[in-house]
Amino acid sequence: MKPHVVSIVGPTAVGKSELAVRAALRYNGEVISGDSMQVYRTMDIGTAKVTKDEMLGVPHHMIDIKNPDDSFSAAEFQECTASLIEDITARNRLPIMVGGTGLYIQAALYGFNFPSKARNESIVEKLEKEYEQHGAQALHERLKLIDPLQADKIHPNNIRRVIRALEVYETTGQTLSENHEQQPSVSPYSPHFIGLEMEREVLYERINYRVDLMIQQGLEDEVRALYDAGFEHSQSMKAIGYKEWIPYFKGEYDFNRAVELLKRNSRRYAKRQFTYFKNKMNVSWYNVDPMLKEDEFEKILEDLAGMLEET
């Protein structure tokens, strides 16, 4: 039989981590973080990293395994989680993947084939020089001509991903979209996708509240420490929750503008997450009302028992 893997997915601030812990306690599970940012040490508040108290003794994996200046990719995530799933299953426990980075979760559970050729540093250097000379928009416009689907998914200012998409095409002759279309559609596991959704206005209020809470917990100091340590240009600092503070530290806008942008970007990210999971995976969706969460989580856990028994 294929190993069971439960995946709890959905937009940020919807309650995935809490449900994952409850599921792990109920079904003898261990949690694998499916968040591309929670791998970084010292980046705790801005990534909404689950705390020791919130874990309730449940083992959590793929958290705090990288330094802030390390790179990380979906391919590396796939490799790490394959070993974790094998180990957790061998100990007769249930792997429960939780998070919001759709590509990472999809790649891990469906055995994506990533471009096999090593990074071509000369092409990367050439593209970086073009970026310095002509700006991000020019490279993004070129990506639009080559791979409009990826260009639509990648913000022009996310220069790292724009360069990566162009590099893959120049190195392999194949666009990232073509590569994604050729990925396996059958999982080597028995995956069970549980999706949490929420009325949009309620979710957006929760996101705004979460940002306010992060600031009370010391988010500005967390980001400033990383900035002062020289991590400004690291991959990790391009994430929502971190990148919005850099112009503020440089005096380009004020504190209120930084907070406004952080809330706006978080809301937009939640929308993109929801769209990705809706379109890419066979998810059983549950609408969560914060006032009725206890009953709704119990129903989900009961349904999960049926999913596990059926297979």
Side-chain angles (χ1 to χ4, degrees):
M1 289 181 60
K2 294 181 178 180
H4 290 291
V5 181
V6 173
S7 294
I8 299 174
V9 302
T12 187
V14 79
K16 300 184 297 294
S17 295
E18 181 181 351
L19 179 60
V21 168
R22 294 193 187 195
L25 291 170
R26 179 78 60 93
Y27 298 112
N28 192 33
E30 298 186 16
V31 174
I32 300 172
S33 170
D35 187 294
S36 62
M37 288 301 300
Q38 292 187 356
V39 298
Y40 291 108
R41 302 181 188 96
T42 73
M43 304 183 78
D44 303 329
I45 301 171
T47 65
K49 199 175 290 179
V50 62
T51 66
K52 289 293 183 184
D53 289 342
E54 291 167 339
M55 291 180 185
L56 297 180
V58 172
H60 279 62
H61 306 277
M62 298 302 291
I63 294 175
D64 292 339
I65 63 170
K66 292 282 185 177
N67 291 323
D69 55 346
D70 289 335
S71 62
F72 193 62
S73 68
E76 187 173 355
F77 178 81
Q78 179 193 64
E79 182 179 356
C80 292
T81 52
S83 297
L84 282 169
I85 291 170
E86 181 180 1
D87 174 65
I88 294 168
T89 302
R91 291 185 281 106
N92 294 316
R93 294 175 70 85
L94 177 65
I96 302 173
M97 192 171 292
V98 56
T101 307
L103 175 61
Y104 280 41
I105 293 173
Q106 190 181 20
L109 296 183
Y110 285 91
F112 272 22
N113 300 312
F114 290 95
S116 57
K117 292 188 177 181
R119 298 297 302 265
N120 190 315
E121 296 301 332
S122 63
I123 291 177
V124 173
E125 186 177 343
K126 180 192 72 170
L127 291 169
E128 287 175 344
K129 286 182 179 178
E130 289 184 32
Y131 162 61
E132 292 171 2
Q133 293 173 357
H134 305 293
Q137 193 62 44
L139 283 184
H140 195 263
E141 289 297 327
R142 194 202 310 177
L143 182 60
K144 273 186 183 179
L145 296 175
I146 293 170
D147 188 353
L149 289 176
Q150 282 299 311
D152 189 52
K153 296 175 184 177
I154 303 173
H155 192 279
N157 291 339
N158 193 337
I159 193 62
R160 183 183 65 84
R161 287 188 62 196
V162 172
I163 287 177
R164 177 57 177 159
L166 290 170
E167 179 211 350
V168 167
Y169 177 73
E170 294 194 20
T171 303
T172 67
Q174 184 182 60
T175 66
L176 275 180
S177 294
E178 290 169 339
N179 181 266
H180 291 168
E181 288 171 2
Q182 296 168 9
Q183 298 299 349
S185 59
V186 178
S187 176
Y189 310 110
S190 181
H192 309 281
F193 291 100
I194 292 172
L196 302 184
E197 57 183 333
M198 192 173 285
E199 294 297 327
R200 181 170 295 183
E201 291 306 314
V202 176
L203 179 62
Y204 285 178
E205 286 178 8
R206 285 172 63 89
I207 290 172
N208 290 341
Y209 173 76
R210 174 185 269 191
V211 170
D212 290 336
L213 185 60
M214 287 177 173
I215 291 168
Q216 291 176 24
Q217 293 170 337
L219 177 59
E220 180 183 349
D221 291 339
E222 177 175 280
V223 185
R224 188 178 291 277
L226 292 161
Y227 176 75
D228 291 343
F231 296 129
E232 176 186 351
H233 301 292
S234 298
Q235 173 184 333
S236 62
M237 291 289 275
K238 303 296 189 295
I240 295 169
Y242 295 87
K243 63 181 180 180
E244 293 83 4
W245 295 96
I246 306 302
Y248 164 60
F249 294 157
K250 294 181 175 181
E252 296 174 13
Y253 50 62
D254 63 15
F255 174 85
N256 290 333
R257 178 59 174 163
V259 175
E260 175 189 344
L261 289 173
L262 175 47
K263 291 180 177 179
R264 185 201 70 183
N265 292 344
S266 297
R267 295 192 299 267
R268 289 179 176 178
Y269 179 56
K271 184 177 180 180
R272 292 197 302 273
Q273 286 176 301
F274 184 69
T275 300
Y276 190 98
F277 290 119
K278 278 279 188 180
N279 294 337
K280 299 288 187 179
M281 301 176 200
N282 183 22
V283 178
S284 297
W285 288 98
Y286 296 85
N287 190 71
V288 178
D289 182 338
M291 302 299 294
L292 304 172
K293 182 181 67 175
E294 294 300 322
D295 291 340
E296 290 168 351
F297 275 14
E298 183 59 33
K299 180 184 186 307
I300 293 169
L301 294 175
E302 291 174 0
D303 288 352
L304 177 56
M307 295 178 193
L308 296 172
E309 289 171 3
E310 284 177 6
T311 51

